[in-house]
Amino acid sequence: MKELHRIGFGGGCHWCTEAVFQAIKGVKEVKQGYISTAQEKETFYEGILVNYDPGSISLQALIEIHLQTHQSTSNHSMRSKYLSAVYTFNTKQNSEVLDILNTLQEKFEKPIITSAYYFGKFKASRPEITNYYKTDPERPFCKLYIDPKIKILEDKFQRFIK
């Protein structure tokens, strides 16, 4: 069995982020919940943890998908709940993420506000709200907020969709 890698993402509602990454080839598991950074142990933000096969999808592709499917250039008023983040698990990964964010900046007109943070702690969401999109994609929330993100996947990242 191939060794899976782990990365965390935050940026918008964890229901949205979960749905996006559940649709990606090479992503083996998505855990929805709340993540803190190693720097701020008591502040938790909505986010997901992703276990993926780096032989099937690169970290750069995952990060680009993340940047394109949330407001990665907007420092809006909900950032205290939705930190625009890539959560890393070691120094090497953190350095790689910083390089990738720098490289991907050229694809955006405005500065990317998404930052790399060292992972702190994770609290899983209640079971009844996990797999939110998968369990009922017809919900009004899904139609309004998640479907447009899935459309971005279909338009820009078709080759990565399961």
Side-chain angles (χ1 to χ4, degrees):
M1 185 171 159
K2 295 178 183 176
E3 181 183 341
L4 297 179
H5 289 203
R6 179 171 59 156
I7 194 78
F9 294 109
C13 170
H14 52 201
W15 295 343
C16 297
T17 313
E18 175 190 59
V20 166
F21 285 91
Q22 285 177 332
I24 303 297
K25 289 180 197 171
V27 171
K28 303 304 181 188
E29 181 182 36
V30 178
K31 293 181 182 178
Q32 179 208 116
Y34 305 87
I35 302 173
S36 70
T37 70
Q39 294 86 348
E40 301 176 57
K41 295 192 186 317
E42 298 306 313
T43 304
F44 284 83
Y45 304 93
E46 290 192 20
I48 62 166
L49 294 178
V50 172
N51 290 316
Y52 70 98
D53 172 9
S56 298
I57 189 162
S58 68
L59 181 57
Q60 180 159 335
L62 290 171
I63 292 172
E64 184 172 359
I65 289 166
H66 178 57
L67 294 176
Q68 294 286 348
T69 57
H70 85 282
Q71 294 179 350
S72 60
T73 61
S74 175
N75 203 6
H76 55 72
S77 62
M78 295 296 288
R79 286 289 171 224
S80 61
K81 182 177 181 180
Y82 305 132
L83 183 65
S84 186
V86 179
Y87 298 97
T88 63
F89 292 88
N90 58 55
T91 305
K92 182 178 181 284
Q93 187 182 52
N94 194 271
S95 179
E96 184 179 0
V97 168
L98 289 170
D99 288 345
I100 291 168
L101 289 170
N102 190 43
T103 299
L104 291 174
Q105 177 59 63
E106 69 188 35
K107 295 186 177 200
F108 293 83
E109 290 181 22
K110 296 179 182 176
I112 294 170
I113 64 157
T114 309
S115 295
Y117 296 93
Y118 287 102
F119 173 83
K121 292 181 180 176
F122 179 77
K123 294 179 186 178
S125 292
R126 301 181 321 273
E128 58 270 16
I129 64 168
T130 59
N131 296 308
Y132 192 80
Y133 187 74
K134 278 186 170 183
T135 57
D136 186 0
E138 298 303 315
R139 288 180 178 113
F141 182 92
C142 296
K143 291 300 201 189
L144 187 60
Y145 295 105
I146 301 176
D147 279 355
K149 294 171 188 329
I150 299 300
K151 177 86 170 98
I152 292 169
L153 275 182
E154 293 168 353
D155 291 348
K156 294 186 177 187
F157 302 101
Q158 184 66 46
R159 69 192 181 279
F160 296 119
I161 297 176
K162 288 181 182 171

